[in-house]
Structure formats: C-alpha cells, structure tokens
Amino acid sequence: MLTNRPRGVNDILPGDVEKWQFIERTARDVCRRFNVSEIRTPIFEHTELFQRGVGETTDIVEKEMYTFQDRGDRSLTLRPEGTASAVRSFVENKLYAQPQPTKLFYIGPMFRYERPQSGRYRQFHQFGAEVLGVNEPSVDAEVLALVMTFFNELGLKNITLEINSVGSPASREAYRGALREHLAPVKDQLCKDCQSRFDRNPMRILDCKIDASNETVSSSPFMLDYLTDEDKTHFEQVKSYLDSFGINYVVNPRMVRGLDYYTQTAFEFIESGSTISGGGRYNGMVEQFGGPDMPGFGFGVGIERVLIALQNQEVELPIEKGIDVFLVALGEEAQKRTVTLLQELRTAGLVADKDYLGKSMKAQMKAADRLKAKQVVILGDDELAQGVANVKDMESGEQVSVPLSELVEKIQQKL
Ligand code: HAM
C-alpha cells in the first residue's frame, strides 16, 4: 500500500512534466490572445452543485463522483468537471453584474470514478474555458477556434470536430416525446439504469454504453429533426461562422454528451477515435444556480488525451533541454569556492549546477554531458590560487582561462 498509488491516478515525473508545462503554457498563451482570464476554483464543492449542475441521471452523478462527508458532516465532492464550479463562482461573486461577456479558463485536476484504461483515469486534468453572458452563435464558433488554435500550436493534426445541436428545452420537450414513443416497445429490454431514465431523461439512453448495441436505440430519431426555428437558426449560424473561419467539421446527429446541462450546440474533438475535448452551450445553468438568465458556452480538453495524441502523431514538443553551466571542481578549496560561484551564476540568471559527491574529473565531465551543459567551468586548487578558472565550450570543445572576477560576465557572453 505504502509504495503503490491508488488505481487510476498518475505521477507526473521529470522528463514528462516538461511536456505538461509546455501544454499549459500554450493554453495560457492562446487564452491570453483570446482575452480569456484564468479562474481558480476549489478542488471540492458541495455535492449538490454537481448533482444539480451536471444532472441527476448522468453517469457522472449516478456512478462516478468521489463524494465524502467532512468532519462537519457536510457532503462534499471532488470536482468531476469544471463548468459547474466556474458558473457557481460567476454567480456567487456576482461577476454577472460586470459588463459581459465574462471569459474564464482553468487548468487543473478533475476526479471521476471510472474504470481506468489508456486515456481514462480517476484523476485526470482538463484545460477548459467558459464564456458567459452572450448567446451569439459567433461566440460558439470563436471558442471552437480557440480550441483549434491550441491544437494547431501544439502541432496536432487530423483532429475531427463533430458538432450537433441538442436544442433548447422547448425543442427537447417535443423530442423526448418522440423518443419515448420510439423506445417504448423495447423499454423492458433496456438496462436497469435506462429503464429508470426512460421516464426521467430518455435522452440519456442514447449515451448508454450497455444499450448501445440495441437496434431500436441506435435507430432512434434525431434531435436535429425536432429543433425549433430559433435553435435551427442558431445551429446554421454556428456552421456558417465555422465555414468562414475555415474550420472543418462533421455534423454528428447521434452525438449525446455525458452531461445534462447542454442546450443547442454540442461538440467533440476526436483524434484516432478518442475524444480529446468536448463541450457546448449551457444556457440555463446560471439561472439554475440563482443568477440572472444568462447564457454560457465552453469546452474541456483532456490533457492526458492530448499527450496521447501527441505521441500517436509523433509530435516532438520544442522543449528546452540542458543547463547553461556545470561546475567541475578539483580539490577541497575549489569545491568550497564552487558553492558560492554556483550561487553567483544563478543570481545572474543562469541555469547552473555542480557535482556534490567529490567525484573524479572524468565522472564530473560525464555528469556535465548528461545534463547537456553548454559551458563547463573547471576549477582546481591551482587555478583558484591564481584567481582563474578554465571555461570549456561543450559544443566547440574550445577551452579558455578566465579570471574568476569576470567569470559570470564571460559565460553570459558565450551563451
Ligand atoms: P467532458 O466531455 O466530460 O466535458 O470532458 C471533457 C474532456 O475531458 C473529455 O473530452 C476528455 O478528453 C477528458 N476526460 C473526461 N473524462 C476523463 C477521464 N476519466 N480520464 C481522462 N480524460 C477524461 C466536461 O467535463 C465539460 N465540463 C466540458 C464543458 C465545458 N462543457 C461546457 N463547458
């Protein structure tokens, strides 16, 4: 137990963490350009927030939440997603009272008790954004453009954008009736959960993994055929903006998202059969949480899935490796001097390191190689007595003697 991590969670070790940092930097950079500000919400919230926000009949709420009682007997839940928290914060902090829209992004861990497999974990990480306060179809397209820009900047290609409209409540009312009528003859053959969803929320049946092979389920009518004129127009306009941005998409009328809050546009970005991002419009949530009637649109990108896609596509991220300077010391006095020299170099802004174990010259040079040092400073007791050190350029192999008083400056010039 002590040496095993829990199932479905991962350590991110040096060597990999640099990729995470690059991805996060790219996300922040793209958000800055789209003028989207960061929000940091708590990792846990009142359980009710997700029950009500994500939806009582979803797999997330029914089966996947990490819920616990705290010592004050409150029911709390580790966040399974970021939208409900962002909207809760938008309402609680009265961000709706500011000029709109409010554009927020977040990067952080989410928790779902799912069966772990490649690309599916119990603690995973999302980069997500939410745009609140505007119902403009151009905003839907703009946010999709943000996600595409993020993928492009990482060097990912061949990502399919699938879109659908799940309609507003008015459209869904008509659709639910049609769906119940279609599924009624096979209701008894459905899984237990779906039998209960039949009355409560029949659209969830379309997202059920167990009943996916049921022919009646897979030949269900399309939501798109039940859209009100207003919803239809919104969808047409989103598509037309995507066309004008040059963003390719496929309409997938079978797409059902795993969360209940969506209205109108819903979408997924797919790479090699895996959904690396999903999201859509959720126009009722702000009001549901006690705020004014304000619309919202957003996405969540799974960072682990982005890493898998980068690996699938053999994309090498431009990660800077190596250090600027490595100090090699020979002799006791020289050892001592490198301690302060190291600090001087680092204070001057250089990436510097040294040997700590009193190794041989050869072993220290090997360490410099392993760390991909650009310059190596070699300091022996004799050089120290003369107030100089040898500086070796590891690329050219050239070695020069430099007065210790000018060392930092000389190395800075060489880099
Ligand atoms: P979601 O589709 O549940 O949407 O999750 C978004 C993304 O998170 C998925 O496309 C996937 O890449 C990643 N993901 C989900 N579950 C796991 C898991 N168990 N392991 C690894 N990656 C996972 C949402 O969470 C919505 N909040 C998105 C949104 C924002 N909608 C509107 N605004």
Side-chain angles (χ1 to χ4, degrees):
M1 284 294 260
L2 276 181
T3 50
N4 292 334
R5 60 187 188 271
R7 219 163 110 73
V9 304
N10 293 302
D11 297 314
I12 306 166
L13 300 175
D16 274 333
V17 84
E18 293 78 8
K19 294 182 195 158
W20 284 76
Q21 290 165 344
F22 185 87
I23 292 170
E24 289 166 10
R25 240 186 350 262
T26 307
R28 287 173 201 285
D29 184 51
V30 171
C31 283
R32 173 83 195 105
R33 266 180 275 157
F34 280 76
N35 197 23
V36 180
S37 310
E38 182 170 359
I39 183 169
R40 299 189 186 191
T41 61
I43 300 285
F44 58 82
E45 298 269 1
H46 293 296
T47 300
E48 199 191 344
L49 176 77
F50 301 115
Q51 281 172 336
R52 303 256 316 277
V54 173
E56 301 273 6
T57 54
T58 58
D59 275 356
I60 293 181
V61 171
E62 284 186 335
K63 304 174 191 164
E64 297 171 359
M65 293 205 302
Y66 277 93
T67 296
F68 60 97
Q69 299 293 119
D70 76 358
R71 286 167 194 273
D73 218 23
R74 299 169 195 90
S75 179
L76 301 172
T77 293
L78 299 185
R79 62 179 184 196
E81 60 106 45
T83 312
S85 304
V87 172
R88 193 263 314 134
S89 181
F90 177 79
V91 174
E92 185 171 351
N93 296 296
K94 299 192 173 54
L95 301 186
Y96 54 74
Q98 298 172 2
Q100 297 305 318
T102 302
K103 303 197 257 179
L104 306 168
F105 82 88
Y106 47 86
I107 300 174
M110 308 286 162
F111 305 85
R112 295 183 194 175
Y113 190 82
E114 293 199 78
R115 189 184 306 185
Q117 60 180 53
S118 166
R120 197 199 287 154
Y121 309 100
R122 291 182 173 169
Q123 175 174 333
F124 61 99
H125 298 77
Q126 278 186 5
F127 155 43
E130 315 294 343
V131 176
L132 295 144
V134 266
N135 198 27
E136 257 293 289
S138 67
V139 166
D140 304 30
E142 196 184 310
V143 173
L144 291 167
L146 188 162
V147 185
M148 250 331 181
T149 307
F150 170 69
F151 290 146
N152 285 340
E153 306 237 329
L154 291 177
L156 286 173
K157 298 196 173 68
N158 302 326
I159 292 177
T160 310
L161 167 61
E162 294 191 355
I163 59 169
N164 191 17
S165 175
V166 296
S168 55
S171 303
R172 275 214 296 276
E173 202 42 51
Y175 180 61
R176 275 199 203 103
L179 200 54
R180 282 200 191 97
E181 204 171 299
H182 177 81
L183 294 174
V186 295
K187 185 182 168 191
D188 296 345
Q189 299 165 23
L190 302 176
C191 76
K192 248 206 179 124
D193 284 339
C194 284
Q195 291 192 17
S196 113
R197 288 165 178 163
F198 184 90
D199 293 313
R200 294 196 292 157
N201 187 359
M203 282 176 78
R204 284 262 70 86
I205 298 172
L206 304 177
D207 193 31
C208 177
K209 283 153 202 134
I210 303 166
D211 292 320
S213 54
N214 184 307
E215 272 179 29
T216 310
V217 173
S218 55
S219 65
S220 294
F222 293 139
M223 177 75 236
L224 281 182
D225 295 327
Y226 290 82
L227 294 183
T228 58
D229 287 344
E230 196 185 327
D231 289 345
K232 236 183 249 168
T233 309
H234 187 97
F235 194 49
E236 289 310 314
Q237 288 181 349
V238 171
K239 288 192 286 182
S240 137
Y241 278 117
L242 287 174
D243 290 337
S244 61
F245 286 176
I247 295 178
N248 294 328
Y249 58 85
V250 180
V251 175
N252 175 2
R254 287 263 172 253
M255 183 201 302
V256 190
R257 302 271 304 130
L259 306 96
D260 271 351
Y261 47 63
Y262 293 109
T263 57
Q264 299 179 323
T265 319
F267 67 86
E268 292 185 343
F269 285 90
I270 301 186
E271 198 272 347
S272 304
S274 156
T275 306
I276 57 177
S277 172
R281 186 159 277 290
Y282 47 90
N283 283 354
M285 200 192 292
V286 175
E287 196 176 16
Q288 186 195 0
F289 288 2
D293 177 12
M294 269 195 180
F297 186 93
F299 70 85
V301 171
I303 299 184
E304 285 83 355
R305 296 198 187 170
V306 167
L307 280 157
I308 293 172
L310 288 166
Q311 198 177 5
N312 287 344
Q313 301 191 13
E314 296 177 5
V315 176
E316 276 293 321
L317 296 177
I319 288 164
E320 216 185 299
K321 295 194 183 95
I323 63 172
D324 295 328
V325 200
F326 189 81
L327 302 184
V328 169
L330 297 165
E332 214 171 295
E333 287 309 307
Q335 266 296 355
K336 273 191 203 150
R337 182 67 182 92
T338 54
V339 175
T340 48
L341 196 52
L342 193 60
Q343 178 61 12
E344 285 167 37
L345 290 160
R346 288 170 174 170
T347 310
L350 299 172
V351 184
D353 213 341
K354 72 188 258 300
D355 165 63
Y356 292 88
L357 303 172
K359 287 189 188 147
S360 69
M361 165 95 173
K362 199 171 152 198
Q364 291 189 52
M365 288 307 287
K366 237 186 183 165
D369 258 342
R370 189 169 44 78
L371 292 173
K372 299 193 171 63
K374 294 184 191 118
Q375 305 286 327
V376 173
V377 174
I378 304 158
L379 187 66
D381 285 348
D382 291 349
E383 283 94 355
L384 185 60
Q386 294 165 34
V388 295
N390 288 317
V391 178
K392 181 171 179 180
D393 184 307
M394 294 299 271
E395 205 184 275
S396 66
E398 183 200 14
Q399 192 164 313
V400 288
S401 174
V402 175
L404 279 174
S405 57
E406 295 167 23
L407 191 72
V408 174
E409 201 185 322
K410 280 271 160 18
I411 289 176
Q412 277 174 323
Q413 283 166 8
K414 279 170 166 287
L415 289 168

